[in-house]
Amino acid sequence: MGGNRHGAHEKTHVRRSRSRYSFPMANIPLNGLRIGTASAGLQIEGSPQPSNWTEWAAAGTIADGTTPDPTTDHWRRWREDNELMERLEYPIARVGVEWSRVEPRPGEFDEEALARYAEEYRDLTARGIEPLVTLHHFGQPLWLERRGGWTNPEIVPLFLRYVNRVLDALGDIVTDWVTINEPNVFATEAYLFGSTPPGTGGYRAVRACLQNMAAAHLQAYELLHARLDNPTVTFAHHKRVFAPANRANPVHRALTPLVEYLFQGVVEKAFYRGVFDRVLGRPRSLPADFTPKGVYADAIAINYYSRTAVKGFDDATFPGRPTNDLGWEIYPRGIAEVSAPLAREYGLPIWITENGTADNSESFRCGFILDHLAELARLNAEPGGVRVERYYHWCFVDNWEWSEGMAQHFGVVGLDENLDRHVKPAGYMLRDLNRAGAITPEIVETYREAPAGGVDP
């Protein structure tokens, strides 16, 4: 999952997510939508190499005092996790290579780590699970962070060097790639709100970070297409719905499009088309002879979680709306509101690369998923509409949620004190949705209000 997403988000009373849908006693076809789960290397692997996050956690910045070790201990237990995904019949899985593990020292690549990733992803494909590999998901080597990280233009050729070495190891295994996860969240949380490393920098640092990430994505897109036969390459774009907190308030109405543009709109033409406006500016890390050629994505990859009530530059929620354990509003309609316009503009299919909720009591996770999938099913059913091809639920196993630590649970699989896995009702529900290819009355009846551990597998 990508950061706090709220800056200083509000902690509000937790309310159950109540569906807007009656879910009539008939199937709601998913029209070919495939369902799996998402994860990120640093959040699940354990035994990490020095990175921006190991140093940040060691300084005592994590809400529950945990660190990126052991998290779920996936680095040692990956076969168990792959086998569990196969038993649950998930056809797709978003996974990630952790840069700090692959290149722990400048220019020194860990061939054993690369071979280990190759073994894991070959095993996934052998089990009938297609891996979607993320190349940068918030983690980077500590040596690189100390050089200024993404604010330093020198990071772009270093990132491309890293991508080349990953392709040497995985290019014959992996077809689907995410270059960079949530550049807007990474930049604002790291350099503006201060909730992730390095925690300082200001607006100039945010701008430099986004410029360099855009340059890295554009060139990595070209590199992946040059080296591989017909890959699918994209970046994971975090999108939120923004609405005036009070529609009668002219300040709220005026601020809403501005806040939305500064958070997410400013990156879109840069990442999708290689076109830079005056606000973002053309990066120095882009070759002088770079000329945009078409669209630099093969699918619209969307990470969607919530809606913001705008009354200033800090996030707020609408009163009386359902929220999760982190105080984020649960707004299912938004998953279509943020995805469909981009899909139509660029003529590309939608992949929901993250969608999930913090629900430690497991009282509303299944309903949350059903409500969001119903919105995606509606898009797929519209004549001449967009194609929603994939849904990756965040996440597979309860993991280390960055500055929140291990306290917030997003997984469809839980952990006990020994890190042994147990499947939650939502994990079985995803299996049954894939089997049925539809939201069926039986699935709704079985899972909508299912308590933790209350479903017969």
Side-chain angles (χ1 to χ4, degrees):
M1 189 188 73
N4 290 336
R5 296 184 172 82
H6 287 260
H9 57 254
E10 297 180 0
K11 300 283 188 178
T12 59
H13 179 65
V14 178
R15 294 174 288 275
R16 179 180 300 278
S17 171
R18 292 194 175 92
S19 173
R20 295 186 302 104
Y21 301 99
S22 60
F23 287 103
M25 297 303 287
N27 291 346
I28 302 175
L30 295 175
N31 292 307
L33 174 63
R34 294 192 295 165
I35 299 170
T37 57
S39 62
L42 196 62
Q43 292 183 264
I44 62 173
E45 289 177 353
S47 57
Q49 293 289 337
S51 74
N52 53 336
W53 281 95
T54 58
E55 182 177 63
W56 182 258
T61 58
I62 308 304
D64 64 357
T66 57
T67 73
D69 192 22
T71 63
T72 77
D73 202 25
H74 175 80
W75 192 249
R76 287 183 284 266
R77 303 179 72 150
W78 64 269
R79 288 183 179 85
E80 175 185 351
D81 287 340
N82 285 5
E83 180 183 358
L84 183 53
M85 270 192 251
E86 181 184 25
R87 291 208 312 267
L88 290 168
E89 303 173 29
Y90 298 166
I92 52 175
R94 184 180 172 201
V95 293
V97 173
E98 175 51 39
W99 190 355
S100 59
R101 189 181 294 280
V102 168
E103 191 181 3
R105 290 165 294 281
E108 296 182 20
F109 288 86
D110 188 331
E111 298 302 330
E112 290 186 4
L114 285 166
R116 154 64 183 74
Y117 280 119
E119 185 180 12
E120 177 181 350
Y121 301 158
R122 279 197 186 94
D123 184 73
L124 277 176
T125 59
R127 297 176 185 275
I129 303 167
E130 293 181 35
L132 167 64
V133 172
T134 304
L135 291 161
H136 187 276
H137 197 132
F138 291 5
Q140 56 209 31
L142 184 58
W143 61 264
L144 191 58
E145 182 77 352
R146 288 176 174 169
R147 293 185 184 181
W150 284 99
T151 65
N152 184 346
E154 294 177 0
I155 195 173
V156 177
L158 296 176
F159 179 72
L160 296 173
R161 180 181 70 182
Y162 153 71
V163 173
N164 257 317
R165 293 302 292 270
V166 171
L167 287 177
D168 290 341
L170 305 181
D172 63 338
I173 306 167
V174 178
T175 301
D176 303 330
W177 302 86
V178 169
T179 56
I180 294 172
N181 181 73
E182 297 185 343
N184 52 347
V185 172
F186 181 93
T188 53
E189 298 293 340
Y191 300 111
L192 188 60
F193 298 125
S195 60
T196 67
T200 185
Y203 286 101
R204 287 186 179 180
V206 170
R207 188 170 183 260
C209 174
L210 290 174
Q211 286 179 334
N212 293 323
M213 283 189 155
H217 163 71
L218 296 170
Q219 293 173 84
Y221 179 91
E222 292 183 331
L223 173 61
L224 285 154
H225 275 272
R227 289 201 54 182
L228 304 177
D229 292 331
N230 199 31
T232 300
V233 184
T234 187
F235 77 101
H237 185 22
H238 178 83
K239 290 277 282 185
R240 302 175 61 81
V241 173
F242 291 85
N246 179 357
R247 294 187 182 277
N249 186 315
V251 175
H252 295 184
R253 292 200 310 273
L255 279 176
T256 296
L258 174 62
V259 172
E260 180 175 5
Y261 177 75
L262 291 175
F263 179 68
Q264 57 199 28
V266 71
V267 307
E268 289 170 5
K269 285 187 179 178
F271 278 76
Y272 288 120
R273 292 205 183 273
V275 175
F276 296 85
D277 65 12
R278 292 182 180 179
V279 174
L280 186 56
R282 183 183 172 97
R284 291 186 292 123
S285 48
L286 202 60
D289 61 353
F290 174 84
T291 302
K293 302 180 184 71
V295 178
Y296 292 81
D298 306 310
I300 300 297
I302 297 294
N303 295 358
Y304 173 76
Y305 288 88
S306 189
R307 176 171 70 162
T308 291
V310 178
K311 52 186 175 182
F313 286 93
D314 291 330
D315 284 341
T317 54
F318 289 96
R321 299 295 302 172
T323 58
N324 69 10
D325 291 359
L326 284 168
W328 304 353
E329 182 187 346
I330 298 171
Y331 182 63
R333 180 175 291 175
I335 201 167
E337 291 178 2
V338 301
S339 303
L342 285 175
R344 292 189 177 104
E345 180 175 354
Y346 295 106
L348 295 172
I350 295 170
W351 292 4
I352 301 299
T353 39
E354 290 183 26
N355 175 246
T357 191
D359 180 13
N360 287 5
S361 67
E362 294 302 311
S363 62
F364 57 87
R365 188 182 314 283
C366 289
F368 175 97
I369 295 170
L370 290 170
D371 288 350
H372 285 78
L373 286 176
E375 290 288 352
L376 298 176
R378 178 181 60 79
L379 281 182
N380 265 347
E382 288 180 356
V386 300
R387 290 179 294 132
V388 186
E389 295 181 342
R390 303 187 187 186
Y391 174 90
Y392 296 89
H393 179 75
W394 185 271
C395 53
F396 182 57
V397 180
D398 289 334
N399 60 25
W400 195 71
E401 288 292 342
W402 307 115
S403 291
E404 297 291 344
M406 297 291 293
Q408 300 298 333
H409 298 166
F410 282 78
V412 296
V413 175
L415 299 173
D416 66 17
E417 63 274 9
N418 298 317
L419 301 184
D420 291 333
R421 277 67 165 151
H422 61 270
V423 181
K424 303 176 186 179
Y428 294 118
M429 186 181 74
L430 296 185
R431 175 201 63 189
D432 292 352
L433 287 163
N434 276 318
R435 284 178 177 176
I439 302 173
T440 67
E442 294 78 15
I443 289 173
V444 173
E445 183 178 1
T446 301
Y447 292 103
R448 170 160 286 284
E449 304 293 340
V455 173
D456 184 350

